[in-house]
Amino acid sequence: MAQSLPRSPLAPASFPDLPVIKGAQFASAAAGVKYQGRTDVMLAVLDPGTSVAGVFTQSATRSAPVLDCQAKLGGDSATGAAILVNSGNSNAFTGHYGQKSVADITAAVAATVDVPADRVFTASTGVIGEPLPQDRIVAKIGELNNGLDAGRMEDAANAIMTTDTFAKAATAQVEINGSTVSIAGIAKGSGMIAPDMATMLVYIFTDAKYEQGALQALLSDLNNTSFNCITVDSDTSTSDSLLLCATGASGVDAEGNEAFAQALNTVMLDLAHQVVRDGEGASKFIEIQITGAANDTDAKVHGLSIANSPLVKTAIAGEDANWGRVVMAVGKSGAAADRDLLSIWFGDVLVAEKGWVSPNYREESAAALMKNDEIVIKVDLGLGDGACTVWTCDLTHGYIEINADYRS
Amino acid sequence: MAQSLPRSPLAPASFPDLPVIKGAQFASAAAGVKYQGRTDVMLAVLDPGTSVAGVFTQSATRSAPVLDCQAKLGGDSATGAAILVNSGNSNAFTGHYGQKSVADITAAVAATVDVPADRVFTASTGVIGEPLPQDRIVAKIGELNNGLDAGRMEDAANAIMTTDTFAKAATAQVEINGSTVSIAGIAKGSGMIAPDMATMLVYIFTDAKYEQGALQALLSDLNNTSFNCITVDSDTSTSDSLLLCATGASGVDAEGNEAFAQALNTVMLDLAHQVVRDGEGASKFIEIQITGAANDTDAKVHGLSIANSPLVKTAIAGEDANWGRVVMAVGKSGAAADRDLLSIWFGDVLVAEKGWVSPNYREESAAALMKNDEIVIKVDLGLGDGACTVWTCDLTHGYIEINADYRS
């Protein structure tokens, strides 16, 4: 990466032990996309029968690889599948040349690995607006193919990092009818390579069997309350991609199984939280719990309005229990709110209720709590049953340093 | 104010010479609302026949004075009117007590100045969630009334400042049928007193004659392309208020007069720009011109998406012509965009067109331009005739210092 950033103070203590996901193999290589000698390409190859589901950025200026992946979702899962990801260049806003880059890479992967080109998914993350040097990537596909191994998922997690300060992975296992099904996923974000924007990439693998359409429905549903409920700075990447691959190699059908869905949700939330914990300049991990909204959609609008408010985020960076800014963010969100029914807690401390500061509130009690690394803000709208939880980090000098002080 | 901030580097060279607005008088006083010895209350008294139009924050948690003003708009202009504004306490999120504070103040003004209470408009700006010490304000109303003078508008501009680094005013004169009509306005923003949020207050006066309903329509229209097109940090105050008072004392009817509307627009834009120029931590004044959008509404959505993007704002703070972040902000806005029709200029330098970097673009040409205090970004969507211009400032360490480092 362009400059070496210290490991986030909010990072997990260590990289998790990842189980082998039957039917999935991984490899990584140094292709010199932007920097020489840096591991910057990963390949995942999935056995025939793998269902692939995906969710992507909603950006109107999304990248060529995103458009290609979206077109390929829902394809025939009888064949195998492959995922090739590079860091160092996002192949975004690269015009028609960007589509050629994707076509060249997917054709080369298909020619080397035994899958059709329309089952090769790619992603690119890094600098935007520069043509992708796809020849350097194509030149490494043989090496990647030779290096494939079920135990190399951690290498893959490292290969997709940009200015991430730690590699991100999460895992879970579930017993279904006496058999074990494994889930493991990797993610990158919210790093930045000048002059690029933050990008999030997530790949989750399971050896469960799950029909493709049902897998897509499950993923879209869980994504709504995990990755779609995190924000670092309200800026949406042109490249955000999440693929979920169910190889079926365990022989265990998990479709409709509640324990499986819960385990997958745990993995997704874990990865989503790790992205926030690596938010640029983050010094506090913030959970915002909204209850009592008119409906769940309103709850999310309120939650994200608080989570994206620069005044709320700077107050928390300053360890200031500034509930007035929470009131402001609720008020501006556009979702239903009644000032006189609103209650606000910092942690377990009730600070405001019924349109005014709580009579028992003493600033000292919240002040102690604001020194923690993890801050919980609860807001009850007093209107209905709508609820949502969102996660963000604070806004610090570190964010300005990463995004303004370092030049491309 | 809590701490003394240096005058913004983007401030105008001097306070303008304001003309007398016939039919309007002003006074200010030190009531000790939050700090002793600070001028913190202003009173404006307007002759019978004054039309009063207003626009206010759309916040769902708006303050008691805002709710009171909104209820009073459209009242009988045959009587006079009065405006009382205090700084130091915003009387926001103060429950039912907040309404009592407003009622006490308006009753006291009505008893001293010869106007009915339903023609007394108030505003409060400063700390939120604390009861307003209205007795201190009420105690000063006699002194304010005795001090009324047509030449004291500058004192009024000073009285409404919080952490503003300069007092803001703008003026214009128009000839209508051989007679001169004057317009003068004052504003405060985007200051902050911890633990409060930024607040904007604007008062504009003219001696033109203008029927109240027509004046409201004109104000709402012009507000849409002036104050509603500025942003410092995307956070909306609970107290934003703009009142426009037409005393009619010049005897000149300006209703429907295009030159008057243009002059008023000039004053509103000037004040709006001054608020941005005093944005917390601002080092660059940024104008974002959107053309070629599907419609004007879409153009504004794109413009504000760019203006509110922390990544765009930090790039400009770092003097980085990072057009990739502009692409990102257009893509995430939700309004219509086609990547391959998009063109982007920094100043007069075409940096990107047709979905890719412009073939003639050299980073050096934009880099020199980014060192200026004033930056123009132009984006053409290539879709239709929709256009809008918005204004903002950059996001610097100064913003973090003001909002995180200083504690309440």
Side-chain angles (χ1 to χ4, degrees), chain B residues 369-394:
Chain B
L369 189 143
M370 298 306 290
K371 297 193 184 305
N372 296 337
D373 278 354
E374 309 200 357
I375 307 288
V376 176
I377 299 175
K378 290 188 257 191
V379 176
D380 189 280
L381 278 296
L383 295 175
D385 296 328
C388 185
T389 299
V390 307
W391 297 272
T392 191
C393 57
D394 55 344

PDB file of all heavy atoms in Angstrom, chain B residues 369-394:
ATOM      1  N   LEU B 369      -4.393  24.969  -9.927  1.00  0.00           N
ATOM      2  CA  LEU B 369      -5.691  25.566  -9.643  1.00  0.00           C
ATOM      3  C   LEU B 369      -6.215  25.211  -8.245  1.00  0.00           C
ATOM      4  O   LEU B 369      -6.909  25.991  -7.596  1.00  0.00           O
ATOM      5  CB  LEU B 369      -6.588  24.977 -10.716  1.00  0.00           C
ATOM      6  CG  LEU B 369      -7.953  25.378 -11.010  1.00  0.00           C
ATOM      7  CD1 LEU B 369      -8.099  25.290 -12.539  1.00  0.00           C
ATOM      8  CD2 LEU B 369      -8.892  24.397 -10.374  1.00  0.00           C
ATOM      9  N   MET B 370      -5.860  24.029  -7.744  1.00  0.00           N
ATOM     10  CA  MET B 370      -6.362  23.579  -6.442  1.00  0.00           C
ATOM     11  C   MET B 370      -5.751  24.365  -5.286  1.00  0.00           C
ATOM     12  O   MET B 370      -6.214  24.268  -4.159  1.00  0.00           O
ATOM     13  CB  MET B 370      -6.073  22.077  -6.251  1.00  0.00           C
ATOM     14  CG  MET B 370      -6.745  21.166  -7.253  1.00  0.00           C
ATOM     15  SD  MET B 370      -8.537  21.382  -7.362  1.00  0.00           S
ATOM     16  CE  MET B 370      -9.045  20.700  -5.776  1.00  0.00           C
ATOM     17  N   LYS B 371      -4.691  25.123  -5.559  1.00  0.00           N
ATOM     18  CA  LYS B 371      -4.073  25.928  -4.497  1.00  0.00           C
ATOM     19  C   LYS B 371      -4.877  27.199  -4.198  1.00  0.00           C
ATOM     20  O   LYS B 371      -4.652  27.861  -3.192  1.00  0.00           O
ATOM     21  CB  LYS B 371      -2.644  26.307  -4.891  1.00  0.00           C
ATOM     22  CG  LYS B 371      -1.748  25.085  -5.051  1.00  0.00           C
ATOM     23  CD  LYS B 371      -0.280  25.461  -5.135  1.00  0.00           C
ATOM     24  CE  LYS B 371       0.588  24.229  -5.382  1.00  0.00           C
ATOM     25  NZ  LYS B 371       0.387  23.155  -4.370  1.00  0.00           N
ATOM     26  N   ASN B 372      -5.821  27.550  -5.101  1.00  0.00           N
ATOM     27  CA  ASN B 372      -6.640  28.747  -4.887  1.00  0.00           C
ATOM     28  C   ASN B 372      -7.560  28.593  -3.666  1.00  0.00           C
ATOM     29  O   ASN B 372      -7.887  27.480  -3.268  1.00  0.00           O
ATOM     30  CB  ASN B 372      -7.505  29.021  -6.121  1.00  0.00           C
ATOM     31  CG  ASN B 372      -6.645  29.333  -7.339  1.00  0.00           C
ATOM     32  OD1 ASN B 372      -5.488  29.747  -7.196  1.00  0.00           O
ATOM     33  ND2 ASN B 372      -7.197  29.112  -8.527  1.00  0.00           N
ATOM     34  N   ASP B 373      -8.010  29.752  -3.139  1.00  0.00           N
ATOM     35  CA  ASP B 373      -8.986  29.752  -2.048  1.00  0.00           C
ATOM     36  C   ASP B 373     -10.377  29.380  -2.532  1.00  0.00           C
ATOM     37  O   ASP B 373     -11.215  28.943  -1.751  1.00  0.00           O
ATOM     38  CB  ASP B 373      -9.121  31.170  -1.466  1.00  0.00           C
ATOM     39  CG  ASP B 373      -8.027  31.478  -0.481  1.00  0.00           C
ATOM     40  OD1 ASP B 373      -7.246  30.568  -0.168  1.00  0.00           O
ATOM     41  OD2 ASP B 373      -7.963  32.641  -0.034  1.00  0.00           O
ATOM     42  N   GLU B 374     -10.642  29.632  -3.821  1.00  0.00           N
ATOM     43  CA  GLU B 374     -11.978  29.388  -4.354  1.00  0.00           C
ATOM     44  C   GLU B 374     -11.876  28.364  -5.476  1.00  0.00           C
ATOM     45  O   GLU B 374     -11.102  28.531  -6.414  1.00  0.00           O
ATOM     46  CB  GLU B 374     -12.599  30.689  -4.864  1.00  0.00           C
ATOM     47  CG  GLU B 374     -12.518  31.787  -3.802  1.00  0.00           C
ATOM     48  CD  GLU B 374     -13.485  32.929  -3.980  1.00  0.00           C
ATOM     49  OE1 GLU B 374     -14.216  32.928  -4.989  1.00  0.00           O
ATOM     50  OE2 GLU B 374     -13.506  33.810  -3.106  1.00  0.00           O
ATOM     51  N   ILE B 375     -12.643  27.301  -5.346  1.00  0.00           N
ATOM     52  CA  ILE B 375     -12.566  26.177  -6.277  1.00  0.00           C
ATOM     53  C   ILE B 375     -13.936  25.999  -6.938  1.00  0.00           C
ATOM     54  O   ILE B 375     -14.964  25.985  -6.260  1.00  0.00           O
ATOM     55  CB  ILE B 375     -12.231  24.865  -5.514  1.00  0.00           C
ATOM     56  CG1 ILE B 375     -10.975  25.022  -4.652  1.00  0.00           C
ATOM     57  CG2 ILE B 375     -12.140  23.680  -6.464  1.00  0.00           C
ATOM     58  CD1 ILE B 375      -9.683  25.097  -5.386  1.00  0.00           C
ATOM     59  N   VAL B 376     -13.930  25.875  -8.258  1.00  0.00           N
ATOM     60  CA  VAL B 376     -15.173  25.598  -8.983  1.00  0.00           C
ATOM     61  C   VAL B 376     -15.084  24.184  -9.569  1.00  0.00           C
ATOM     62  O   VAL B 376     -14.103  23.841 -10.236  1.00  0.00           O
ATOM     63  CB  VAL B 376     -15.403  26.617 -10.125  1.00  0.00           C
ATOM     64  CG1 VAL B 376     -16.651  26.245 -10.927  1.00  0.00           C
ATOM     65  CG2 VAL B 376     -15.539  28.032  -9.562  1.00  0.00           C
ATOM     66  N   ILE B 377     -16.088  23.376  -9.271  1.00  0.00           N
ATOM     67  CA  ILE B 377     -16.194  22.047  -9.880  1.00  0.00           C
ATOM     68  C   ILE B 377     -17.435  22.049 -10.762  1.00  0.00           C
ATOM     69  O   ILE B 377     -18.518  22.414 -10.311  1.00  0.00           O
ATOM     70  CB  ILE B 377     -16.332  20.946  -8.805  1.00  0.00           C
ATOM     71  CG1 ILE B 377     -15.103  20.945  -7.891  1.00  0.00           C
ATOM     72  CG2 ILE B 377     -16.541  19.575  -9.449  1.00  0.00           C
ATOM     73  CD1 ILE B 377     -15.217  19.977  -6.724  1.00  0.00           C
ATOM     74  N   LYS B 378     -17.271  21.673 -12.020  1.00  0.00           N
ATOM     75  CA  LYS B 378     -18.417  21.600 -12.936  1.00  0.00           C
ATOM     76  C   LYS B 378     -18.645  20.148 -13.316  1.00  0.00           C
ATOM     77  O   LYS B 378     -17.694  19.441 -13.661  1.00  0.00           O
ATOM     78  CB  LYS B 378     -18.138  22.407 -14.216  1.00  0.00           C
ATOM     79  CG  LYS B 378     -18.119  23.906 -13.993  1.00  0.00           C
ATOM     80  CD  LYS B 378     -18.041  24.658 -15.313  1.00  0.00           C
ATOM     81  CE  LYS B 378     -16.631  25.179 -15.539  1.00  0.00           C
ATOM     82  NZ  LYS B 378     -16.516  26.130 -16.657  1.00  0.00           N
ATOM     83  N   VAL B 379     -19.888  19.739 -13.271  1.00  0.00           N
ATOM     84  CA  VAL B 379     -20.245  18.377 -13.686  1.00  0.00           C
ATOM     85  C   VAL B 379     -21.389  18.474 -14.679  1.00  0.00           C
ATOM     86  O   VAL B 379     -22.429  19.068 -14.378  1.00  0.00           O
ATOM     87  CB  VAL B 379     -20.672  17.516 -12.482  1.00  0.00           C
ATOM     88  CG1 VAL B 379     -21.131  16.137 -12.952  1.00  0.00           C
ATOM     89  CG2 VAL B 379     -19.532  17.382 -11.481  1.00  0.00           C
ATOM     90  N   ASP B 380     -21.203  17.931 -15.855  1.00  0.00           N
ATOM     91  CA  ASP B 380     -22.293  17.845 -16.828  1.00  0.00           C
ATOM     92  C   ASP B 380     -22.705  16.387 -16.956  1.00  0.00           C
ATOM     93  O   ASP B 380     -21.874  15.525 -17.239  1.00  0.00           O
ATOM     94  CB  ASP B 380     -21.876  18.420 -18.186  1.00  0.00           C
ATOM     95  CG  ASP B 380     -23.078  18.531 -19.116  1.00  0.00           C
ATOM     96  OD1 ASP B 380     -23.467  17.498 -19.701  1.00  0.00           O
ATOM     97  OD2 ASP B 380     -23.640  19.636 -19.211  1.00  0.00           O
ATOM     98  N   LEU B 381     -24.008  16.146 -16.703  1.00  0.00           N
ATOM     99  CA  LEU B 381     -24.508  14.764 -16.721  1.00  0.00           C
ATOM    100  C   LEU B 381     -24.783  14.257 -18.129  1.00  0.00           C
ATOM    101  O   LEU B 381     -24.902  13.054 -18.343  1.00  0.00           O
ATOM    102  CB  LEU B 381     -25.798  14.653 -15.886  1.00  0.00           C
ATOM    103  CG  LEU B 381     -25.711  14.508 -14.362  1.00  0.00           C
ATOM    104  CD1 LEU B 381     -25.017  13.202 -13.990  1.00  0.00           C
ATOM    105  CD2 LEU B 381     -25.035  15.671 -13.676  1.00  0.00           C
ATOM    106  N   GLY B 382     -24.955  15.189 -19.080  1.00  0.00           N
ATOM    107  CA  GLY B 382     -25.201  14.783 -20.457  1.00  0.00           C
ATOM    108  C   GLY B 382     -26.554  14.149 -20.688  1.00  0.00           C
ATOM    109  O   GLY B 382     -26.756  13.424 -21.663  1.00  0.00           O
ATOM    110  N   LEU B 383     -27.515  14.437 -19.798  1.00  0.00           N
ATOM    111  CA  LEU B 383     -28.817  13.764 -19.894  1.00  0.00           C
ATOM    112  C   LEU B 383     -29.952  14.686 -20.300  1.00  0.00           C
ATOM    113  O   LEU B 383     -30.889  14.259 -20.968  1.00  0.00           O
ATOM    114  CB  LEU B 383     -29.177  13.150 -18.533  1.00  0.00           C
ATOM    115  CG  LEU B 383     -28.292  12.027 -18.016  1.00  0.00           C
ATOM    116  CD1 LEU B 383     -28.725  11.642 -16.606  1.00  0.00           C
ATOM    117  CD2 LEU B 383     -28.359  10.811 -18.933  1.00  0.00           C
ATOM    118  N   GLY B 384     -29.912  15.961 -19.867  1.00  0.00           N
ATOM    119  CA  GLY B 384     -31.045  16.856 -20.118  1.00  0.00           C
ATOM    120  C   GLY B 384     -30.677  18.291 -19.819  1.00  0.00           C
ATOM    121  O   GLY B 384     -29.507  18.666 -19.931  1.00  0.00           O
ATOM    122  N   ASP B 385     -31.671  19.099 -19.402  1.00  0.00           N
ATOM    123  CA  ASP B 385     -31.440  20.524 -19.171  1.00  0.00           C
ATOM    124  C   ASP B 385     -31.402  20.900 -17.698  1.00  0.00           C
ATOM    125  O   ASP B 385     -31.355  22.082 -17.361  1.00  0.00           O
ATOM    126  CB  ASP B 385     -32.543  21.340 -19.859  1.00  0.00           C
ATOM    127  CG  ASP B 385     -32.498  21.177 -21.367  1.00  0.00           C
ATOM    128  OD1 ASP B 385     -31.383  21.004 -21.892  1.00  0.00           O
ATOM    129  OD2 ASP B 385     -33.570  21.214 -22.000  1.00  0.00           O
ATOM    130  N   GLY B 386     -31.469  19.926 -16.815  1.00  0.00           N
ATOM    131  CA  GLY B 386     -31.506  20.233 -15.380  1.00  0.00           C
ATOM    132  C   GLY B 386     -30.194  20.848 -14.919  1.00  0.00           C
ATOM    133  O   GLY B 386     -29.113  20.376 -15.268  1.00  0.00           O
ATOM    134  N   ALA B 387     -30.291  21.923 -14.114  1.00  0.00           N
ATOM    135  CA  ALA B 387     -29.091  22.610 -13.628  1.00  0.00           C
ATOM    136  C   ALA B 387     -29.294  23.096 -12.208  1.00  0.00           C
ATOM    137  O   ALA B 387     -30.411  23.365 -11.781  1.00  0.00           O
ATOM    138  CB  ALA B 387     -28.759  23.780 -14.543  1.00  0.00           C
ATOM    139  N   CYS B 388     -28.195  23.210 -11.479  1.00  0.00           N
ATOM    140  CA  CYS B 388     -28.234  23.760 -10.126  1.00  0.00           C
ATOM    141  C   CYS B 388     -26.800  24.073  -9.708  1.00  0.00           C
ATOM    142  O   CYS B 388     -25.865  23.396 -10.132  1.00  0.00           O
ATOM    143  CB  CYS B 388     -28.846  22.752  -9.152  1.00  0.00           C
ATOM    144  SG  CYS B 388     -29.060  23.397  -7.481  1.00  0.00           S
ATOM    145  N   THR B 389     -26.631  25.119  -8.911  1.00  0.00           N
ATOM    146  CA  THR B 389     -25.321  25.419  -8.345  1.00  0.00           C
ATOM    147  C   THR B 389     -25.430  25.374  -6.835  1.00  0.00           C
ATOM    148  O   THR B 389     -26.370  25.926  -6.267  1.00  0.00           O
ATOM    149  CB  THR B 389     -24.830  26.798  -8.807  1.00  0.00           C
ATOM    150  OG1 THR B 389     -24.723  26.791 -10.231  1.00  0.00           O
ATOM    151  CG2 THR B 389     -23.465  27.126  -8.219  1.00  0.00           C
ATOM    152  N   VAL B 390     -24.488  24.694  -6.189  1.00  0.00           N
ATOM    153  CA  VAL B 390     -24.472  24.640  -4.730  1.00  0.00           C
ATOM    154  C   VAL B 390     -23.093  25.065  -4.236  1.00  0.00           C
ATOM    155  O   VAL B 390     -22.126  25.065  -4.999  1.00  0.00           O
ATOM    156  CB  VAL B 390     -24.828  23.236  -4.177  1.00  0.00           C
ATOM    157  CG1 VAL B 390     -26.136  22.727  -4.743  1.00  0.00           C
ATOM    158  CG2 VAL B 390     -23.724  22.236  -4.440  1.00  0.00           C
ATOM    159  N   TRP B 391     -23.020  25.442  -2.979  1.00  0.00           N
ATOM    160  CA  TRP B 391     -21.777  25.966  -2.405  1.00  0.00           C
ATOM    161  C   TRP B 391     -21.469  25.248  -1.108  1.00  0.00           C
ATOM    162  O   TRP B 391     -22.368  24.963  -0.308  1.00  0.00           O
ATOM    163  CB  TRP B 391     -21.930  27.464  -2.140  1.00  0.00           C
ATOM    164  CG  TRP B 391     -22.164  28.251  -3.379  1.00  0.00           C
ATOM    165  CD1 TRP B 391     -21.222  28.792  -4.199  1.00  0.00           C
ATOM    166  CD2 TRP B 391     -23.435  28.581  -3.974  1.00  0.00           C
ATOM    167  NE1 TRP B 391     -21.819  29.434  -5.264  1.00  0.00           N
ATOM    168  CE2 TRP B 391     -23.169  29.322  -5.158  1.00  0.00           C
ATOM    169  CE3 TRP B 391     -24.763  28.332  -3.634  1.00  0.00           C
ATOM    170  CZ2 TRP B 391     -24.181  29.807  -5.975  1.00  0.00           C
ATOM    171  CZ3 TRP B 391     -25.775  28.808  -4.451  1.00  0.00           C
ATOM    172  CH2 TRP B 391     -25.486  29.543  -5.610  1.00  0.00           C
ATOM    173  N   THR B 392     -20.205  24.995  -0.892  1.00  0.00           N
ATOM    174  CA  THR B 392     -19.787  24.369   0.356  1.00  0.00           C
ATOM    175  C   THR B 392     -18.351  24.780   0.659  1.00  0.00           C
ATOM    176  O   THR B 392     -17.751  25.583  -0.059  1.00  0.00           O
ATOM    177  CB  THR B 392     -19.932  22.831   0.282  1.00  0.00           C
ATOM    178  OG1 THR B 392     -19.753  22.289   1.599  1.00  0.00           O
ATOM    179  CG2 THR B 392     -18.903  22.205  -0.662  1.00  0.00           C
ATOM    180  N   CYS B 393     -17.812  24.222   1.728  1.00  0.00           N
ATOM    181  CA  CYS B 393     -16.413  24.472   2.069  1.00  0.00           C
ATOM    182  C   CYS B 393     -15.724  23.128   2.243  1.00  0.00           C
ATOM    183  O   CYS B 393     -16.364  22.082   2.190  1.00  0.00           O
ATOM    184  CB  CYS B 393     -16.309  25.317   3.332  1.00  0.00           C
ATOM    185  SG  CYS B 393     -17.131  24.582   4.748  1.00  0.00           S
ATOM    186  N   ASP B 394     -14.416  23.151   2.436  1.00  0.00           N
ATOM    187  CA  ASP B 394     -13.684  21.898   2.577  1.00  0.00           C
ATOM    188  C   ASP B 394     -13.778  21.367   4.020  1.00  0.00           C
ATOM    189  O   ASP B 394     -14.316  22.037   4.904  1.00  0.00           O
ATOM    190  CB  ASP B 394     -12.231  22.068   2.110  1.00  0.00           C
ATOM    191  CG  ASP B 394     -11.507  23.206   2.808  1.00  0.00           C
ATOM    192  OD1 ASP B 394     -12.187  24.062   3.429  1.00  0.00           O
ATOM    193  OD2 ASP B 394     -10.269  23.257   2.742  1.00  0.00           O
TER     194      ASP B 394
END
